[in-house]
């Protein structure tokens, strides 16, 4: 209960104009990736200068107030010390409510073993999202790897057998102009192999351009028809109330506004409730805006050394004034929804 109350307190604080330590961290642990996605070119990035386990330990020993951590990549499970990274996080962050890791699912056995090992450290709430961007042929085409679809499905099946009350797994589908017409077909393809799969087991986000994804020159094909197809699928879902479903429902309801304006529909919480750190230890407001603040080495791995700095304050002011690049990706949107609760109901 303590973790829930601490998170609730920080969410309430984020609804006001007070500066406080961010409660959410997105940490990319590696740029290595065994997919070659059409819409994401992270796999082309250099992974030789990534921060080591000792640096990660030093960081979380000095910054242990996070409630919510997303460990992303690249493919996080290509990081050989991922289990130890999670151990460090869980042991050093007493108020950690949620740990989330996305995966392409290409290494079913390794992913299953890593998850079981991480669960030994008793994370409070642990979620894995397995990327799936279409039925078999389309998914493999978009991911650039033949056989990606069956391995992703196998990963999901293996993880679904893990019966821990603090553990969840679902599919995550990134919508673009290349696959929005295949939402229902993707679900029906999955149902052939996973008989008890519910529509609520398939979650959605919108593709974005970003320096992080290295896809600034790629046509994502976003258009308002995405909303129509998504709405048709969502209307068939069983109605359940949960924190995750509330956030996803609100996120999806605001997608049309984002597609029309290209701006965040609500006041963004980057550099207030959240921040992003890349595999080199470079600190950014978020995964979309290419405004490097510092490197962890330059602040002795302690965010307090920059959090109230003029540089951070000036960047935050630009975000408040809608001068950033603009986005509506769940990495930033979920805490933005929580930071605008008066507008979310």
């Amino acid at each position: 209960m303590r973790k829930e109350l601490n998170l609730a307190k920080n969410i309430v604080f984020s609804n006001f104009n007070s500066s406080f330590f961010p409660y959410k961290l997105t940490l990319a642990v590696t740029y290595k990736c065994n997919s070659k996605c059409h819409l994401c070119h992270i796999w082309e990035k250099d992974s030789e200068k990534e921060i080591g386990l000792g640096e990660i330990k030093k960081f979380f020993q000095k910054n242990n107030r996070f409630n919510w951590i997303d460990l992303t990549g690249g493919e996080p499970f290509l990081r050989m010390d991922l289990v130890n990274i999670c151990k460090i996080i869980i042991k050093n962050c007493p108020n950690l409510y949620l740990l989330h890791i996305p995966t392409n699912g290409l290494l079913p056995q390794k992913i299953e073993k890593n998850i079981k090992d991480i669960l030994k450290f008793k994370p409070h709430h642990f979620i894995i999202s397995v990327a799936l961007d279409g039925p078999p042929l389309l998914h493999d085409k978009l991911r650039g790897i033949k056989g990606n679809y069956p391995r992703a499905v196998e990963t999901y099946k293996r993880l679904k057998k893990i019966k821990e009350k603090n553990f969840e797994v679902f599919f995550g589908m990134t919508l673009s102009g290349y696959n929005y017409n295949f939402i229902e077909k993707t679900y029906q393809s999955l149902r052939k192999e996973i008989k008890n799969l519910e529509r609520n087991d398939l979650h959605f986000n919108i593709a974005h351009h970003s320096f992080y994804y290295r896809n600034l020159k790629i046509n994502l094909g976003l258009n308002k028809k995405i909303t129509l197809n998504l709405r048709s699928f969502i209307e068939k879902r069983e109605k359940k109330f949960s924190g995750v479903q509330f956030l996803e429902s609100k996120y999806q309801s605001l997608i049309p506004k984002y597609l029309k304006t290209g701006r965040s529909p609500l006041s963004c919480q980057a550099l207030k409730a959240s921040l992003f750190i890349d595999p080199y230890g470079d600190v950014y407001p978020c995964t979309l805006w290419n405004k490097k603040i510092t490197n962890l080495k330059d602040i002795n791995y302690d965010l307090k050394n920059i959090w109230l700095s003029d540089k951070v304050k000036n960047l935050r002011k630009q975000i408040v004034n809608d001068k950033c690049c603009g986005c509506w990706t769940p990495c930033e949107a979920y805490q933005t929804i929580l930071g605008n609760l008066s507008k979310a109901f």
Side-chain angles (χ1 to χ4, degrees):
M1 181 61 71
R2 187 192 77 247
K3 299 176 192 291
E4 286 88 346
L5 290 174
N6 189 267
L7 173 60
K9 178 194 72 175
N10 286 332
I11 289 171
V12 171
F13 283 174
S14 72
N15 280 262
F16 301 96
N17 294 321
S18 56
S19 294
F20 66 105
F21 195 81
Y23 68 80
K24 184 188 178 191
L25 168 68
T26 299
L27 172 62
V29 293
T30 186
Y31 281 136
K32 293 178 182 176
C33 194
N34 45 359
S35 286
K36 296 186 188 308
C37 296
H38 175 61
L39 301 184
C40 171
H41 285 242
I42 282 178
W43 51 276
E44 293 180 337
K45 290 189 173 185
D46 180 13
S47 60
E48 296 300 316
K49 300 177 181 179
E50 297 176 349
I51 56 176
L53 187 65
E55 293 175 282
I56 291 172
K57 183 175 182 180
K58 189 181 296 186
F59 172 77
F60 282 106
Q61 286 175 335
K62 296 184 177 185
N63 306 272
N64 63 356
R65 295 163 59 187
F66 297 109
N67 301 112
W68 179 352
I69 295 176
D70 284 353
L71 295 182
T72 186
E75 170 51 41
F77 289 93
L78 288 179
R79 178 110 188 191
M80 302 308 293
D81 55 3
L82 181 65
V83 172
N84 284 327
I85 291 174
C86 292
K87 179 181 179 181
I88 287 169
I89 290 171
I90 295 165
K91 296 300 182 184
N92 282 281
C93 297
N95 292 315
L96 184 67
Y97 174 78
L98 173 61
L99 178 63
H100 167 239
I101 307 177
T103 177
N104 58 24
L106 278 170
L107 301 169
Q109 289 180 308
K110 184 178 190 300
I111 294 168
E112 179 187 19
K113 184 179 186 308
N114 281 182
I115 295 304
K116 289 180 176 179
D117 287 341
I118 293 168
L119 283 168
K120 293 175 184 177
F121 307 126
K122 307 294 183 184
H124 185 75
H125 195 183
F126 188 21
I127 295 178
I128 297 293
S129 52
V130 181
L132 200 80
D133 295 335
L137 292 178
L138 179 59
H139 178 72
D140 286 4
K141 180 180 179 180
L142 291 176
R143 291 272 152 178
I145 298 292
K146 187 176 181 179
N148 194 322
Y149 181 94
R151 279 184 274 177
V153 172
E154 181 187 347
T155 294
Y156 179 89
K157 287 180 176 179
R158 284 173 175 264
L159 299 186
K160 200 68 177 176
K161 292 178 181 178
I162 299 175
K163 302 302 180 183
E164 295 280 351
K165 65 178 182 179
N166 59 335
F167 178 68
E168 292 183 80
V169 57
F170 57 78
F171 285 112
M173 186 172 184
T174 299
L175 300 178
S176 69
Y178 300 91
N179 67 352
Y180 71 87
N181 276 326
F182 292 86
I183 297 174
E184 182 66 30
K185 190 172 182 179
T186 299
Y187 175 67
Q188 296 302 333
S189 295
L190 288 170
R191 280 293 298 268
K192 292 177 182 178
E193 302 189 56
I194 309 170
K195 303 301 182 184
N196 60 346
L197 188 78
E198 299 179 2
R199 290 177 183 270
N200 286 310
D201 294 323
L202 190 55
H203 294 223
F204 303 92
N205 65 88
I206 301 296
H208 280 73
H209 287 119
S210 170
F211 76 98
Y212 166 58
Y213 301 127
R214 202 174 186 179
N215 66 353
L216 296 175
K217 296 182 180 179
I218 294 174
N219 179 16
L220 302 178
L222 299 179
N223 61 74
K224 63 181 181 181
K225 292 181 181 179
I226 291 176
T227 304
L228 300 177
N229 285 38
L230 179 57
R231 184 179 298 151
S232 175
F233 181 86
I234 297 302
E235 287 175 349
K236 299 174 185 176
R237 274 181 169 177
E238 181 183 352
K239 298 296 185 292
K240 295 180 179 179
F241 180 79
S242 68
V244 172
Q245 189 154 327
F246 162 74
L247 285 174
E248 189 181 22
S249 177
K250 189 62 184 177
Y251 168 78
Q252 292 164 354
S253 72
L254 291 170
I255 287 175
K257 188 172 182 180
Y258 166 73
L259 291 177
K260 183 177 180 179
T261 65
R263 313 303 303 170
S264 174
L266 298 171
S267 180
C268 180
Q269 294 291 295
L271 289 186
K272 187 178 183 184
S274 59
L275 76 159
F276 167 62
I277 300 176
D278 80 357
Y280 306 147
D282 291 333
V283 181
Y284 294 88
C286 65
T287 57
L288 277 293
W289 200 23
N290 192 9
K291 292 287 185 178
K292 178 182 171 181
I293 299 168
T294 188
N295 184 276
L296 293 180
K297 296 184 179 71
D298 298 330
I299 56 172
N300 197 24
Y301 303 91
D302 193 342
L303 291 174
K304 291 195 295 292
N305 291 329
I306 57 145
W307 196 246
L308 298 178
S309 68
D310 289 340
K311 187 170 186 178
V312 169
K313 288 178 181 178
N314 288 334
L315 287 171
R316 177 62 195 157
K317 187 179 295 184
Q318 291 182 59
I319 293 169
V320 170
N321 293 326
D322 205 20
K323 301 297 183 182
C324 61
C325 58
C327 76
W328 196 236
T329 172
C331 292
E332 313 304 330
Y334 283 4
Q335 62 268 29
T336 288
I337 293 168
L338 293 172
N340 293 270
L341 288 176
S342 64
K343 301 175 183 178
F345 287 98

